[in-house]
Amino acid sequence: MNYALNIALAFLISASLSTFLGPRIIPMLRNLKIGQTIREDGPRSHLAKTGTPTMGGIIFIISLTVSILLLGKLTPDVLLVLASTLSFGAVGFIDDFLKVVKKRNLGLRAYQKILCQLIASALIIAYGFYFKEGLQEFYIPFMGNLTIQLGIFTIPFFLIVILGTVNAVNLTDGLDGLATGISIIVFSTFGVMLSILEKWDLSILAFALVGALLGFILFNYKPAKVFMGDTGSLALGGALASLAVISELTFFIPLVAGVFFVETLSVMLQVGYFKLTKKRLFRMAPLHHHYEQKGWGELKVVWSFWAASVLFALTGLLVF
């Protein structure tokens, strides 16, 4: 009962903090002229969003951190996930800062971003191995309680998982409320799984993040008053990757977070197909832009992707 109470309190504190901070941080971002610049090669309808405050991810990052410090048990697992969230959030913050101050829409150069992410990943993996004695086992979806060990391939596998997950969330953050809503569904699902596994410290953290995101989406839903920016999307990716890895649920990421996975796959297919044929497989990638270009309204795309995320999440729970 105490665990359930702690989960509820963490959720309510995070949600309340996020709701409280939004109307205070958003005007600060606007006054500092921290506004979003829109990709010139993106959908033309997005040009109207130019100047909308970005870096709003700090709202739910602060809310999560304060909530966990107040109520969460600061176990090594929780510290790992917080470190991952803050580390990748810091990389995103630098990227957003360069976009705003330098007026360079792409922010960090590709090699700089990958290098920063590799450093953050390496620190997290080293920390996890020190406290978790190797993190060798992984639950396999559709296989009951079956687990596998990867031996010497564990470290490169973790690097792929962390970098892939972090950038998948980043790619999905392209429409008002899209990545936020999907993240709420994904972290709620992992929170339930962690409760079933009785990993209560991580479950508290997962639901604290859900609460923080629910407060944030009040300002991020169309028409968005603030964008999470790379500060938020990279932080969410770091939280998701580390949460799944540390709880041995790594192989559930492509299932529970299936929309993130599909969005990334659409970009890979688009690039590969274009290199082979000099033609586009989709009208625009990531996939949510493809449907926009087909004439779908932004809300229709967002709600459809949310619905797909719910189906992925339910499937994950059913086979868990």
Side-chain angles (χ1 to χ4, degrees), residues 21 44 68 80 104 148 182 193 209 211 242 255 275 287 295 307 311 319:
L21 290 173
R44 305 302 297 174
I68 291 302
L80 172 65
R104 194 169 73 195
I148 64 169
I182 294 172
M193 290 180 171
L209 184 49
S242 57
L255 184 57
K275 286 184 177 180
L287 192 61
L311 292 177
V319 304

Side-chain angles (χ1 to χ4, degrees), residues 91 95 98 104 106-118 163 167:
V91 175
D95 195 35
L98 288 176
R104 194 169 73 195
L106 296 179
L108 286 168
R109 301 186 188 282
Y111 77 90
Q112 294 173 326
K113 187 179 292 188
I114 291 296
L115 179 60
C116 289
Q117 291 181 4
L118 280 172
L163 293 177
N167 288 289

Side-chain angles (χ1 to χ4, degrees), residues 11 13 24 38 96 110 138 182 217 288 318:
F11 173 87
I13 290 173
R24 287 153 182 83
I38 303 300
D96 284 333
F138 306 90
I182 294 172
I217 204 171
H288 57 263
L318 287 173

Side-chain angles (χ1 to χ4, degrees), residues 60-61 64 77-92 116-125 127 158-171 183 186-187 190 202 205-206 209 213 228-247 250 253 257 260:
F60 57 77
I61 291 173
L64 168 68
D77 287 1
V78 168
L79 288 173
L80 172 65
V81 178
L82 273 180
S84 178
T85 305
L86 295 174
S87 297
F88 281 100
V91 175
C116 289
Q117 291 181 4
L118 280 172
I119 293 171
S121 300
L123 292 174
I124 291 162
I125 291 171
Y127 184 85
F158 280 160
L159 283 174
I160 293 171
V161 168
I162 294 172
L163 293 177
T165 302
V166 167
N167 288 289
V169 179
N170 184 241
L171 287 171
S183 295
V186 169
F187 283 105
F190 273 103
L202 292 176
L205 186 147
L209 184 49
L213 288 169
M228 68 171 69
D230 284 3
T231 303
S233 62
L234 296 188
L236 289 176
L240 176 57
S242 57
L243 191 69
V245 165
I246 206 71
S247 57
T250 309
I253 294 177
F260 291 148

Side-chain angles (χ1 to χ4, degrees), residues 109-279:
R109 301 186 188 282
Y111 77 90
Q112 294 173 326
K113 187 179 292 188
I114 291 296
L115 179 60
C116 289
Q117 291 181 4
L118 280 172
I119 293 171
S121 300
L123 292 174
I124 291 162
I125 291 171
Y127 184 85
F129 266 65
Y130 179 79
F131 283 104
K132 298 294 288 185
E133 299 179 356
L135 289 174
Q136 295 291 327
E137 294 188 342
F138 306 90
Y139 289 100
I140 307 300
F142 304 101
M143 296 295 180
N145 293 322
L146 178 66
T147 61
I148 64 169
Q149 295 187 355
L150 298 179
I152 61 173
F153 297 104
T154 303
I155 291 179
F157 173 70
F158 280 160
L159 283 174
I160 293 171
V161 168
I162 294 172
L163 293 177
T165 302
V166 167
N167 288 289
V169 179
N170 184 241
L171 287 171
T172 306
D173 182 34
L175 301 178
D176 294 3
L178 179 60
T180 308
I182 294 172
S183 295
I184 289 170
I185 297 164
V186 169
F187 283 105
S188 296
T189 305
F190 273 103
V192 172
M193 290 180 171
L194 292 165
S195 296
I196 294 172
L197 293 173
E198 297 185 356
K199 296 180 182 290
W200 299 109
D201 53 344
L202 292 176
S203 181
I204 289 170
L205 186 147
F207 282 111
L209 184 49
V210 171
L213 288 169
L214 280 172
F216 177 73
I217 204 171
L218 296 175
F219 316 105
N220 184 235
Y221 187 70
K222 185 177 177 65
K225 298 179 179 65
V226 66
F227 299 136
M228 68 171 69
D230 284 3
T231 303
S233 62
L234 296 188
L236 289 176
L240 176 57
S242 57
L243 191 69
V245 165
I246 206 71
S247 57
E248 301 173 353
L249 297 174
T250 309
F251 284 99
F252 280 87
I253 294 177
L255 184 57
V256 175
V259 173
F260 291 148
F261 182 78
V262 171
E263 288 270 64
T264 304
L265 186 61
S266 71
V267 174
M268 296 170 65
L269 290 173
Q270 181 85 321
V271 172
Y273 189 79
F274 185 80
K275 286 184 177 180
L276 289 173
T277 66
K278 302 303 178 184
K279 297 179 181 179

